Amino acid sequence: METDRQAIIAFLETVHPYDTLPRDELADVASSFRRMEFRPEALIYVYQTPIGGLYLIKQGAVEITDGNGGLVSLLGPRNSFGERGILRDGLAATQAKASEQTICLVLPTPTFKRLIETYPSFERFFNRKRGEKVSNDIATQKVADLIARKPLFCGPETTVVSAAQMMRDAHVSSLGVVAEAERLLGIITVRDLANKVLASEMPGTTPVAEVMTADPVSLPPTALGSDILHIMLERRIGHLPITEQGRFVGMITQTDLTRFQAVSSAVLIRDVVSAETVAEMAAVTARIPQLLTQLVGGHHSHEVVTRLVTDIADAVTRRLLVMAERELGAPPVPYLWLACGSQGRQEQTGVSDQDNCLIFDDAATAEDMAYFQALAKIVCDGLNECGYVYCPGEMMAMSPRWCQPARVWRDYFLGWINTPNPEAQMLASVMFDLRPIGGGGIAMFEALHAETLAMAAKNSIFVAHMISNSLKHTPPLGLIRGFATIRSGEHRNHIDLKMNGVVPVADLARIYALQGKLPPANTRARLKAAEETGVISPSGARDLIEAYDLIATMRLENQATLIRAGRKPDNFLAPSDLSDFERSHLRDAFVVVRTMQSAVGHSKAVVS
């Protein structure tokens, strides 16, 4: 049915490398998939038996084991499996079993092989034979391998309305403008349509030749990714046409670079889930700084960078849980491992300690509690070895206080809400950022989360205390158009872009989520949800989001600069290292944050 095909297309657009396919190819591929549903514990295929295609999980979870029954990995939605057997001899290299009710989309082997032969993005993603010979450094990639789709273009006489419709239908932000023999004359972008056509009230019949960027700089397919980055940085452009002897053969955009970097993070996650020891995982996480510099160097948005970095931490955590269960045996009762802090908010950077906790079913006995304490220690020790150092405040599942049954957690939150002393405010601030990572007891958290948000939002005294706690972190503003820098010590004359930059915004977003009973944990998502639900005004939300984007971006750029200099990344920035323009904008961002803090503080005073 057409509706089923459209649903598959929409799903594939969220899965790499299918998201790199041209629109018409994606539609054909979507039609090739067949849908299969499996009950819990059902075998999907058996080791060394013929495998009929590539499996893509749409819903549910799949357990992959080797020929000896050893657990290889636990896969969830958007994960693929079966490619090793297809690319080797057509026989399954592993055994796959549904661990819960699961829906898979199966791509026939001939179609899968054709995609690998036709599209470099597929060959890069699925070919495991090259191992470490595969370079995931965008600077060394050939431009031809980075082109995500066939060239889209129009003639110089095409009207701007027609060009806009072509971009909309193809889901792109630019077109090449070509003459005979596909010779490139210029390019037109969505920004051109906005700034030159709409802003100047030009008629829709205007030819694109009048508003295009004529004779744009271009690169040949044989150029390197570093050439793209250099040109985009130097000329401050986001679209770069690729030409071969004057003929337009494709377009590279910042979105394409983002997709390439997503493959890099996917490779790290692939290596994590296949690791057999903690040391192997630590070797993978040691590559995160390089990934961060690539992502930042590609001018990707901060929320993309931190999400991809956090995804790796999530994968490490889940792999450690698998290892722990393998050592200790199956869990005696359902449990759920949750992250809080920056991992909970999906905002990890190059500097992260671990903040986590464990909730298990109320049916647990004293002996069962010993099991979970042992599991928590294995995972927390493993995270520490992988670079996610122990939390200085011991807010970790290996601490008995944060490894408790659901009823105890319910009492924790109830106590914090009803008796909001300073410790309760601090703990609630951290724990309101909880996000499930692994384990099967998601229902325990969902019930607790909904109940807690409802109770907290109704308690005006608790909300007022949470607001007071959130105002403890203030932007580093000086009295006279300057910054209040650190006065002594190792970071003298620096500002802390974490504690005095992103944390104040995260604290504000948490308050808005509490007031509006909003479920997101991510700071930017909370701000957007607060705007959409009327918790804050559209103008206030826009200003605060823009301020947050600037602060968070400068924090990541500073970390990338330190990494490239061979130093460990941190959160301290010297304003003197910035240009006058950058200092002015950063200070303006801090002013916005201070203004929003003042507004929240006033609302607290009114409530009190």
Side-chain angles (χ1 to χ4, degrees):
M1 293 176 60
E2 180 62 22
T3 54
D4 293 337
R5 189 173 74 111
Q6 291 302 321
I8 293 176
I9 291 174
F11 175 67
L12 294 178
E13 287 176 333
T14 71
V15 181
H16 194 81
Y18 300 95
D19 60 349
T20 67
L21 292 177
R23 187 70 183 178
D24 53 351
E25 179 72 88
L26 183 65
D28 290 342
V29 170
S31 300
S32 301
F33 277 100
R34 73 178 187 274
R35 183 180 186 276
M36 297 186 70
E37 190 163 350
F38 302 94
R39 296 187 303 274
E41 303 301 315
L43 286 176
I44 298 174
Y45 59 68
V46 178
Y47 178 65
Q48 285 295 290
T49 59
I51 187 167
L54 178 74
Y55 290 78
L56 174 61
I57 304 173
K58 189 173 189 295
Q59 178 182 317
V62 173
E63 179 183 285
I64 305 295
T65 54
D66 59 24
N68 299 315
L71 185 65
V72 174
S73 60
L74 294 173
L75 304 178
R78 295 179 176 80
N79 289 149
S80 296
F81 59 97
E83 66 272 15
R84 284 179 56 202
I86 295 175
L87 296 174
R88 190 171 62 180
D89 55 9
L91 300 179
T94 57
Q95 178 167 291
K97 180 178 71 174
S99 54
E100 60 185 62
Q101 193 72 21
T102 298
I103 298 174
C104 287
L105 301 177
V106 185
L107 186 67
T109 296
T111 304
F112 173 56
K113 288 185 174 180
R114 179 180 65 79
L115 290 174
I116 284 184
E117 293 170 358
T118 307
Y119 296 98
S121 58
F122 269 78
E123 200 276 338
R124 282 196 305 267
F125 190 78
F126 287 107
N127 190 343
R128 306 292 193 256
K129 294 181 181 178
R130 296 176 294 169
E132 288 302 315
K133 294 181 181 179
V134 179
S135 172
N136 291 296
D137 182 354
I138 194 171
T140 61
Q141 291 293 307
K142 291 288 186 66
V143 166
D145 292 336
L146 297 173
I147 298 175
R149 61 171 73 226
K150 64 183 181 182
L152 296 172
F153 53 82
C154 64
E157 72 286 348
T158 303
T159 66
V160 291
V161 166
S162 296
Q165 291 170 342
M166 290 176 65
M167 291 188 224
R168 178 200 62 194
D169 294 343
H171 303 283
V172 298
S173 57
S174 62
L175 295 174
V177 181
V178 303
E180 65 279 356
E182 298 178 6
R183 180 172 59 86
L184 182 68
L185 300 177
I187 65 171
I188 184 167
T189 68
V190 169
R191 180 172 291 185
D192 292 329
L193 296 176
N195 294 346
K196 298 178 182 179
V197 179
L198 290 179
S200 300
E201 298 184 345
M202 298 177 72
T205 56
T206 302
V208 295
E210 294 185 21
V211 296
M212 70 181 184
T213 298
D215 299 319
V217 62
S218 66
L219 285 174
T222 54
L224 295 179
S226 59
D227 298 319
I228 297 173
L229 294 175
H230 294 162
I231 290 175
M232 285 187 171
L233 285 169
E234 291 172 9
R235 299 180 179 247
R236 298 183 180 180
I237 58 176
H239 301 79
L240 187 64
I242 308 304
T243 58
E244 191 168 26
Q245 297 180 344
R247 184 174 64 89
F248 179 55
V249 296
M251 187 84 74
I252 298 288
T253 70
Q254 288 190 355
T255 300
D256 297 325
L257 300 183
T258 300
R259 285 172 176 157
F260 179 84
Q261 303 298 3
V263 176
S264 296
S265 66
V267 169
L268 265 64
I269 290 176
R270 180 198 68 195
D271 292 346
V272 164
V273 300
S274 62
E276 292 298 327
T277 66
V278 176
E280 289 178 5
M281 276 192 288
V284 177
T285 56
R287 290 147 56 189
I288 291 176
Q290 180 186 2
L291 173 66
L292 187 143
T293 57
Q294 289 177 1
L295 293 169
V296 173
H299 286 275
H300 309 306
S301 62
H302 68 90
E303 67 268 24
V304 169
V305 177
T306 55
R307 171 62 185 271
L308 293 176
V309 171
T310 304
D311 284 348
I312 298 169
D314 291 354
V316 170
T317 304
R318 285 190 285 267
R319 185 60 179 156
L320 287 168
L321 287 169
V322 170
M323 291 179 174
E325 289 187 22
R326 182 187 298 171
E327 178 177 339
L328 300 173
V333 296
Y335 76 92
L336 190 64
W337 186 281
L338 303 105
C340 46
S342 60
Q343 185 183 2
R345 298 191 303 272
Q346 296 180 300
E347 294 167 6
Q348 286 190 314
T349 65
V351 189
S352 294
D353 59 2
Q354 57 175 290
D355 296 289
N356 45 60
C357 64
L358 198 153
I359 302 175
F360 47 87
D361 193 272
D362 289 335
T365 64
E367 184 177 334
D368 296 337
M369 293 182 70
Y371 171 94
F372 289 116
Q373 288 171 358
L375 179 140
K377 187 170 187 341
I378 291 172
V379 176
C380 290
D381 287 347
L383 288 170
N384 182 70
E385 189 173 336
C386 290
Y388 305 100
V389 298
Y390 297 124
C391 173
E394 298 187 350
M395 194 163 286
M396 299 173 290
M398 65 187 292
S399 300
R401 186 178 186 183
W402 309 124
C403 180
Q404 294 290 336
R407 65 177 182 277
V408 174
W409 279 98
R410 186 169 287 103
D411 290 342
Y412 282 164
F413 279 102
L414 185 62
W416 296 336
I417 292 169
N418 291 335
T419 312
N421 56 43
E423 183 193 36
Q425 296 166 31
M426 182 274 292
L427 294 175
S429 295
V430 175
M431 293 301 176
F432 271 111
D433 295 345
L434 286 175
R435 182 172 60 87
I437 300 296
I442 185 67
M444 291 185 293
F445 172 72
E446 290 176 342
L448 177 63
H449 190 228
E451 180 183 345
T452 299
L453 275 178
M455 288 190 303
K458 291 178 182 177
N459 191 320
S460 59
I461 296 176
F462 173 74
V463 173
H465 278 280
M466 286 287 288
I467 291 173
S468 295
N469 186 67
S470 73
L471 301 180
K472 292 178 181 178
H473 300 111
T474 58
L477 290 170
L479 295 177
I480 308 175
R481 293 296 300 170
F483 298 97
T485 59
I486 299 170
R487 296 186 178 183
S488 61
E490 178 186 0
H491 302 296
R492 183 173 180 268
N493 296 327
H494 287 66
I495 56 177
D496 188 338
L497 285 177
K498 177 183 177 181
M499 298 309 297
N500 301 111
V502 297
V503 168
V505 184
D507 288 342
L508 284 171
R510 190 182 301 110
I511 295 300
Y512 300 145
L514 185 59
Q515 292 174 329
K517 293 181 282 189
L518 307 174
N522 176 265
T523 296
R524 206 174 190 279
R526 281 172 165 171
L527 296 177
K528 294 294 292 183
E531 176 188 9
E532 293 167 0
T533 55
V535 175
I536 52 177
S537 68
S539 60
R542 182 177 61 250
D543 290 345
L544 187 54
I545 290 172
E546 289 178 357
Y548 177 60
D549 287 345
L550 177 65
I551 296 167
T553 298
M554 294 190 77
R555 179 193 183 199
L556 287 174
E557 289 175 345
N558 184 56
Q559 290 188 6
T561 298
L562 294 173
I563 292 169
R564 285 191 291 267
R567 297 166 55 188
K568 288 185 177 181
D570 60 35
N571 296 298
F572 299 96
L573 171 71
S576 58
D577 290 341
L578 303 175
S579 67
D580 290 342
F581 179 84
E582 291 170 324
R583 282 196 298 271
S584 175
H585 278 267
L586 181 58
R587 192 181 190 283
D588 289 344
F590 286 146
V591 169
V592 169
V593 177
R594 175 72 64 83
T595 301
M596 297 300 287
Q597 284 184 323
S598 177
V600 168
H602 178 73
S603 68
K604 170 253 182 184
V606 171
V607 170
S608 300

